[in-house]
Amino acid sequence: MANPTGHTVKAFDEDLDQLRASIAEMGGLAEAAIAESMRALVQRDGQSALRVIEDDAKLDALEAEVERQAVQVIALRAPMADDLREVVAALKIAGVVERIGDYAKNIAKRVVVIEEAPDLKPLSLLPEMARIVAEMVHNVLDAFAARDADKAAAVCERDKAVDDFYSSIFRALLTFMMENPNHITPATHLLFVAKNLERIGDHATNVAEMVYFAATGNHLAERERGYDTTLEADG
Amino acid sequence: MANPTGHTVKAFDEDLDQLRASIAEMGGLAEAAIAESMRALVQRDGQSALRVIEDDAKLDALEAEVERQAVQVIALRAPMADDLREVVAALKIAGVVERIGDYAKNIAKRVVVIEEAPDLKPLSLLPEMARIVAEMVHNVLDAFAARDADKAAAVCERDKAVDDFYSSIFRALLTFMMENPNHITPATHLLFVAKNLERIGDHATNVAEMVYFAATGNHLAERERGYDTTLEADG
């Protein structure tokens, strides 16, 4: 019943490679969007920010392309259990990477609305936090391409550092707001920037869990689904 | 080549009905989580909030079940183009509903961390905003079950009201923070609650777009992908 079209394993593997290549391309765009949006934030560069916002359409288009490819692979190759699961995983990972791009776009949008902002010290922590989450995105897609469970597990471990950054930045921003009411509006925007970075880390972690499961058949030790793991430290 | 198992249309339709039933069940849980988390927030009811947090595991389990069912339907029935697209849509919608549940869980987590909060006027706007987004979730899953494009389009139209609520609440909370530094911490939590509700509205809208496309083959008039459409009004 399965594999009724008599496709060669090779044809399916080539299709899967094509899917992986599209996802790797998405990952590269998402990484660049994170780095560029943060550079634009730090340098108050509205033009670069607008470019990040525009470029997000490419990620959306690539996700639609991955979906089209995945549906076609399923329809043409009728893959069996494990192979099918792999195609479904690719579909889900593409969705997550697209959302990571949306978070970077949101950061870029903040750059456009923060017309002027006093020098806030927590701003200096944000690029470092961004560097870590961009690396997580990079490494998790490497892990996906190489089906490397250890590398995926290493990505999950870094999420704790991201959460610690978020908590530090959150506290620092609250302190700045309390010191001076003029800081409240810009600090609120930076709070959402920090939150966006924290979510990117969560999403990279979720992908890492999918990659780990696909490669080993086992779940990484139980942990909360990614959202707002830092919440308890907020207040 | 397609439909090589010679399955009857009836068997596929029954499978699809089963998928729809699971998604409807997820929708009911998500709706209840939104309503309960907001009730807990308004009444400062930590016990109810903890229950919402615990109950989210049911949504996660149901999403995994939908994924299992969808993969099985594809493997057993080898559905052709349109049918396959419908199964993939069900898979994606289940993922979005699971995320909606996560946002409700996040609201419940805020209830637990906001130990005490002064009476903030914007708090009174939040339940109304929550009521609208819960209705959007309800209506969009009705539209999905009935393949009702008009109902789906109506859900999209309500997203504007949600964005307006968010902007009002955002401004009101900033004003409260500026008036009194003691308001900053609780108001920040409420800001994230409002953001979570706004995201729920965005996700309901995204589902509505999928339902509309599945039912008509046409895209609703171009609009931004859901994230942070309210951003420009933030500052």
Side-chain angles (χ1 to χ4, degrees):
Chain A
M1 182 169 64
N3 197 5
T5 58
H7 76 257
T8 61
V9 172
K10 192 161 171 295
F12 175 77
D13 283 349
E14 280 172 7
D15 287 344
L16 205 58
D17 283 347
Q18 180 57 49
L19 268 179
R20 287 177 194 284
S22 297
I23 289 173
E25 190 180 349
M26 290 182 73
L29 289 176
E31 246 185 280
I34 297 167
E36 268 305 287
S37 64
M38 287 307 298
R39 201 188 55 69
L41 179 70
V42 171
Q43 301 179 357
R44 310 275 149 79
D45 179 350
Q47 286 305 312
S48 293
L50 284 173
R51 212 159 34 238
V52 171
I53 295 168
E54 283 169 17
D55 283 354
D56 187 59
K58 292 181 196 163
L59 261 179
D60 294 347
L62 265 172
E63 191 210 358
E65 174 61 20
V66 167
E67 190 178 323
R68 201 192 54 74
Q69 286 173 354
V71 168
Q72 199 175 36
V73 169
I74 295 171
L76 289 180
R77 312 288 178 208
M80 290 184 67
D82 281 359
D83 288 346
L84 180 55
R85 240 177 286 276
E86 190 136 16
V87 176
V88 171
L91 203 58
K92 291 176 74 171
I93 289 172
V96 177
V97 177
E98 188 272 330
R99 262 177 282 143
I100 288 174
D102 279 337
Y103 287 116
K105 181 173 75 172
N106 285 353
I107 291 171
K109 284 185 177 177
R110 300 271 164 203
V111 176
V112 178
V113 291
I114 303 181
E115 287 167 13
E116 44 158 348
D119 264 338
L120 294 173
K121 188 155 164 278
L123 190 51
S124 66
L125 287 176
L126 283 170
E128 182 57 22
M129 186 180 176
R131 206 184 53 77
I132 297 175
V133 301
E135 255 181 43
M136 288 171 72
V137 172
H138 183 90
N139 291 345
V140 79
L141 291 175
D142 275 1
F144 171 64
R147 295 165 144 258
D148 185 335
D150 290 339
K151 193 159 196 171
V155 169
C156 290
E157 277 159 27
R158 296 193 77 181
D159 200 37
K160 179 74 179 63
V162 172
D163 289 350
D164 289 345
F165 260 99
Y166 176 71
S167 298
S168 299
I169 293 168
F170 187 96
R171 283 171 216 274
L173 286 170
L174 283 194
T175 305
F176 273 86
M177 291 190 209
M178 287 176 190
E179 278 171 14
N180 184 343
N182 291 329
H183 290 165
I184 289 177
T185 299
T188 300
H189 284 297
L190 295 183
L191 204 56
F192 278 115
V193 170
K195 193 66 178 166
N196 283 331
L197 293 175
E198 188 253 333
R199 291 267 167 113
I200 292 173
D202 279 343
H203 282 305
T205 303
N206 287 346
V207 173
E209 289 167 345
M210 292 179 209
V211 172
Y212 188 91
F213 180 70
T216 65
N218 296 317
H219 288 287
L220 269 165
E222 271 307 314
R223 62 181 284 283
E224 274 288 277
R225 290 293 294 258
Y227 298 84
D228 261 345
T229 48
T230 56
L231 199 69
E232 287 73 6
D234 272 6
Chain B
M1 182 168 65
N3 195 7
T5 58
H7 77 257
T8 62
V9 172
K10 192 160 171 295
F12 175 76
D13 283 349
E14 281 172 6
D15 287 343
L16 204 59
D17 283 348
Q18 180 57 48
L19 268 180
R20 288 176 192 284
S22 297
I23 289 172
E25 191 181 347
M26 289 183 73
L29 290 176
E31 246 185 280
I34 298 167
E36 268 305 287
S37 64
M38 286 307 298
R39 202 188 55 69
L41 179 71
V42 172
Q43 300 179 359
R44 310 274 148 80
D45 180 349
Q47 286 303 312
S48 294
L50 284 173
R51 212 159 34 240
V52 171
I53 295 167
E54 282 168 17
D55 282 355
D56 188 58
K58 291 181 195 162
L59 261 178
D60 293 347
L62 266 172
E63 191 209 359
E65 174 61 21
V66 167
E67 190 178 324
R68 201 193 54 75
Q69 286 172 357
V71 168
Q72 200 174 37
V73 169
I74 295 171
L76 289 180
R77 312 288 178 209
M80 291 185 65
D82 281 358
D83 288 346
L84 180 55
R85 240 177 286 276
E86 189 135 19
V87 176
V88 171
L91 203 59
K92 290 177 75 171
I93 290 172
V96 177
V97 176
E98 188 271 331
R99 261 178 282 145
I100 288 174
D102 279 335
Y103 287 116
K105 182 172 74 171
N106 285 353
I107 292 172
K109 284 185 178 177
R110 300 270 165 204
V111 176
V112 178
V113 292
I114 304 180
E115 286 167 14
E116 44 157 349
D119 266 336
L120 294 173
K121 190 154 164 276
L123 189 52
S124 66
L125 287 175
L126 284 169
E128 183 57 22
M129 186 179 176
R131 205 182 54 75
I132 297 175
V133 300
E135 254 180 44
M136 288 170 72
V137 172
H138 182 91
N139 291 346
V140 80
L141 290 175
D142 275 0
F144 172 64
R147 294 165 144 260
D148 184 335
D150 290 339
K151 194 159 197 171
V155 169
C156 290
E157 277 160 26
R158 296 193 76 182
D159 200 37
K160 179 75 179 63
V162 172
D163 289 350
D164 289 345
F165 261 98
Y166 176 71
S167 298
S168 299
I169 292 169
F170 187 95
R171 283 170 215 274
L173 285 170
L174 283 193
T175 306
F176 274 86
M177 291 190 211
M178 287 175 190
E179 279 172 12
N180 183 342
N182 290 328
H183 289 165
I184 289 177
T185 299
T188 301
H189 284 298
L190 295 183
L191 204 56
F192 279 115
V193 170
K195 194 66 179 166
N196 283 331
L197 293 175
E198 188 252 334
R199 292 266 166 116
I200 292 173
D202 280 343
H203 282 306
T205 303
N206 287 346
V207 173
E209 289 166 345
M210 294 178 208
V211 171
Y212 188 91
F213 180 70
T216 66
N218 295 317
H219 288 286
L220 269 166
E222 271 307 313
R223 61 183 283 285
E224 274 289 276
R225 290 293 293 258
Y227 299 82
D228 261 345
T229 48
T230 57
L231 200 69
E232 287 74 6
D234 272 6

